[in-house]
Amino acid sequence: MGKAEEFEELRGLLFSIAYRILGSVTEAEDAVQETWLRYDATATRPVSVKSFLSATVTRIAIDVLRSARMRREEYVGPWLPEPLLDDPYADPARAAELADSVSMASLLLLERLSPLERSVFVLREVFAFGFAEIAAAVGRSEAACRQLLVRARRHMHEGRPRFEADRVEQRELADRFFEALSHGDVDGLRELLSADVQLVGDGGGRAPQLARAVAGADNVARLLATVYPLMARAGITCEPRQVNGLPGALFRVRDGAVLHVLSLDAPDGQIQTIHTVINPDKLGHLGPVADAWAINDEVKRLRLRER
């Protein structure tokens, strides 16, 4: 088997490692491409191609994350990961764990960790790499990696919900949510939301966005029941999809371009957080992106007519 074939067999794994470290589809794809260039340039064959490529993509992702952190500190409004519809790495025996590790909530918890802690946690807890492989990947001793993992686990555990909903229950909850959303049903939405639900939007200053997170079941239900029916009348359609391993949807304009992506986090049988990504810079990997400003103006005009 040649280098190209070996690399392609592992591409899904490499992307999945990089995405969990970076929280960005485009940056993860760039890290994978750089990994290929480095592998293609090696004169000798590594003992383990998987270990070599995994270590390489991890080191590249760590370097990218360190510079990205500075940019995120200057980000306009809440920062959310780039939405991921399909994880190219699959392991049927660990499907639930893999899906959980790529959820918006988990990726935001990972943001609390240092680049090294994050990388060690991802390699060990998500992909079950041995400590010798992890040490080689991050350039630390095995003992140091164990300590990094202990700290990472503590931070992740502190932020995780106490209960986790069944996947079937989550899908049924999402179906009811989108049904209520389509009809502007305030009461129907309210009963699906936790009392302290939050609606968090990421426009990055590049698209219309909420000035801050909207909190509380009544506030969120009323806002959603007002805005989304108007969007439907403006020709925007809702396409239910798995987003970062959880129920969500793509919203498209008349010509099929993506307007924004919404995901639902419902760990205890009620919706705890609604994440929406409308920043066009984070949607390009999904296809053509709509002009959110123009759609916003159209929705405003519709709202004024109804007053």
Side-chain angles (χ1 to χ4, degrees):
M1 184 182 295
K3 277 187 174 181
E5 291 79 10
E6 290 174 329
F7 184 83
E8 286 303 319
E9 281 196 351
L10 293 165
R11 181 185 286 274
L13 171 64
L14 302 177
F15 172 86
S16 294
I17 291 172
Y19 177 75
R20 285 166 174 81
I21 294 174
L22 294 167
S24 166
V25 172
T26 51
E27 289 176 347
E29 289 174 343
D30 289 345
V32 171
Q33 181 61 24
E34 178 62 24
T35 300
W36 160 249
L37 294 175
R38 295 189 188 184
Y39 181 47
D40 189 43
T42 56
T44 58
R45 178 182 175 81
V47 175
S48 169
V49 174
K50 178 183 176 182
S51 295
F52 175 85
L53 293 176
S54 299
T56 302
V57 81
T58 297
R59 287 193 291 270
I60 292 170
I62 289 172
D63 289 341
V64 173
L65 182 59
R66 284 171 174 154
S67 61
R69 289 234 160 157
M70 296 179 64
R71 296 195 301 273
R72 291 175 191 177
E73 288 175 1
E74 301 172 353
Y75 198 78
V76 178
W79 179 92
L80 295 175
E82 287 185 15
L84 180 69
L85 301 187
D86 300 299
D87 189 351
Y89 178 75
D91 180 350
R94 302 178 61 248
E97 297 170 56
L98 289 169
D100 177 68
S101 70
V102 82
S103 70
M104 287 281 185
S106 291
L107 291 173
L108 289 171
L109 283 176
L110 284 169
E111 281 290 302
R112 302 180 183 182
L113 309 182
S114 72
L116 285 179
E117 289 171 343
R118 185 166 181 161
S119 301
V120 169
F121 184 88
V122 166
L123 291 175
R124 182 62 180 176
E125 296 295 284
V126 180
F127 297 101
F129 278 74
F131 279 103
E133 292 175 293
I134 296 171
V138 303
R140 295 292 188 274
S141 68
E142 290 187 42
C145 289
R146 292 178 188 277
Q147 288 302 311
L148 287 165
L149 181 63
V150 168
R151 292 201 297 269
R153 280 174 173 165
R154 183 172 64 248
H155 288 306
M156 294 295 286
H157 179 73
E158 289 170 355
R160 286 189 184 279
R162 294 177 58 191
F163 306 102
E164 291 190 12
D166 177 85
R167 296 277 163 177
V168 174
E169 291 178 0
Q170 288 180 333
R171 287 195 295 273
E172 291 174 349
L173 184 66
D175 290 342
R176 292 167 60 199
F177 172 84
F178 288 117
E179 178 69 16
L181 191 68
S182 68
H183 291 98
D185 181 355
V186 176
D187 292 334
L189 287 167
R190 190 187 292 114
E191 72 177 23
L192 302 175
L193 307 175
S194 67
D196 58 350
V197 64
Q198 285 201 322
L199 171 62
V200 183
D202 177 347
R206 301 268 290 116
Q209 68 183 75
L210 300 169
R212 58 183 180 276
V214 178
D218 191 61
N219 292 332
V220 171
R222 290 185 182 279
L223 177 62
L224 294 175
T226 299
V227 173
Y228 279 86
L230 288 172
M231 290 171 59
R233 286 196 279 281
I236 296 163
T237 57
C238 173
E239 179 184 316
R241 295 287 298 272
Q242 286 287 106
V243 178
N244 288 78
L246 293 174
L250 272 70
F251 289 82
R252 299 183 185 273
V253 298
R254 293 184 181 91
D255 66 1
V258 177
L259 176 64
H260 74 97
V261 176
L262 178 150
S263 67
L264 303 173
D265 183 23
D268 59 357
Q270 286 189 302
I271 297 168
Q272 184 71 43
T273 312
I274 302 169
H275 295 109
T276 67
V277 178
I278 196 170
N279 183 345
D281 295 339
K282 295 186 175 184
L283 302 174
H285 62 284
L286 301 175
V289 180
D291 182 345
W293 295 107
I295 297 299
N296 188 57
D297 289 342
E298 185 174 355
V299 169
K300 283 182 177 178
R301 286 194 296 270
L302 287 170
R303 190 170 185 178
L304 286 172
R305 288 176 195 165
E306 295 187 356
R307 286 183 176 177

